[in-house]
Amino acid sequence: MNKPHKHVEIIKQWAEGAEIQYYSDYTDTWEVVDKPCFFEGDVYRVKPQLVECWVTYYPEPPSSMVLGGVYTTKEEAEKAAVCRRGVVVHTKEVIVE
């Protein structure tokens, strides 16, 4: 019985249009590859998506801040922050599964 290719799931996603990254041992970074070869000895992944969110922080005496919540819109975060005089921080994060 034939063993499936090591990268079969990533190959399927690439065929459906996903952007693929290759891990370079030389540069110790993930690099986008337009035409991946999918060598079994190499490491590949679908490029993680950038997620935009707004985070609320609240003052915690004497001089620190406590994480309040994470919101998908600025309006939601501002509404939540008002009740406890919180601070809203806009952030963009890469979520890796």
Side-chain angles (χ1 to χ4, degrees), residues 57-74:
Y57 292 93
Y58 300 103
E60 180 75 21
S63 62
S64 63
M65 298 291 277
V66 174
L67 175 65
V70 179
Y71 301 87
T72 56
T73 68
K74 181 179 181 181

Side-chain angles (χ1 to χ4, degrees), residues 5-7 11 22 35-44:
H5 193 282
K6 175 181 176 180
H7 302 297
I11 292 169
Y22 154 80
K35 297 178 183 175
C37 295
F38 295 111
F39 295 121
E40 293 211 12
D42 290 339
V43 179
Y44 299 89

Side-chain angles (χ1 to χ4, degrees), residues 21-85:
Q21 291 182 317
Y22 154 80
Y23 184 77
S24 170
D25 289 327
Y26 181 71
T27 62
D28 196 29
T29 59
W30 289 97
E31 300 176 9
V32 173
V33 245
D34 294 328
K35 297 178 183 175
C37 295
F38 295 111
F39 295 121
E40 293 211 12
D42 290 339
V43 179
Y44 299 89
R45 72 175 182 186
V46 173
K47 183 179 179 182
Q49 296 299 309
L50 191 62
V51 176
E52 184 174 33
C53 60
W54 287 261
V55 181
T56 57
Y57 292 93
Y58 300 103
E60 180 75 21
S63 62
S64 63
M65 298 291 277
V66 174
L67 175 65
V70 179
Y71 301 87
T72 56
T73 68
K74 181 179 181 181
E75 293 75 22
E76 289 175 339
E78 287 175 340
K79 184 177 177 182
V82 167
C83 66
R84 290 178 52 201
R85 291 184 289 167

